């Protein structure tokens, strides 16, 4: 689904001499972990935005509600870019 998204990662200096596994498998695991982390962050951002909007509605604060609706969800935006 997210084939070769090229997530940067860092390894020890002696990694290439010590690591015996498949590089492609390692990179796929890194990419999958990155996507899982982005999904969780996206969900937290959406929950926060919805919570702020809910509070604004309950207090009848239309200005605060409008601000809550404008809150960005950068993790969700990054995920959308990978789905293209």
């Amino acid at each position: 689904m997210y084939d070769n998204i090229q997530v940067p990662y860092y390894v020890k200096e002696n990694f290439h001499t010590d690591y015996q596994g498949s590089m492609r498998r390692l990179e796929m695991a890194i990419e999958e972990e990155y996507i899982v982390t982005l999904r969780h962050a996206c969900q937290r951002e959406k929950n926060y935005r919805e919570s702020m909007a809910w509070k604004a509605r309950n207090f009848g604060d239309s200005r605060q509600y409008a601000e809550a609706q404008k809150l960005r969800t950068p993790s969700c935006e990054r995920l959308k870019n990978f789905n293209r």
Side-chain angles (χ1 to χ4, degrees), residues 11-58:
V11 296
K12 296 180 192 178
E13 287 182 27
N14 60 347
F15 173 80
H16 292 292
T17 57
D18 288 350
Y19 185 69
Q20 299 296 312
S22 162
M23 284 300 293
R24 183 61 196 137
R25 196 170 296 145
L26 173 65
E27 289 174 351
M28 287 172 60
I30 290 169
E31 290 171 356
E32 183 60 33
E33 182 63 29
Y34 180 73
I35 294 299
V36 166
T37 300
L38 269 183
R39 284 182 183 144
H40 288 150
C42 172
Q43 192 59 50
R44 281 192 307 273
E45 292 164 358
K46 285 180 177 180
N47 288 344
Y48 177 73
R49 183 176 59 196
E50 290 169 13
S51 172
M52 296 305 290
W54 182 83
K55 288 177 185 176
R57 277 194 309 269
N58 282 335

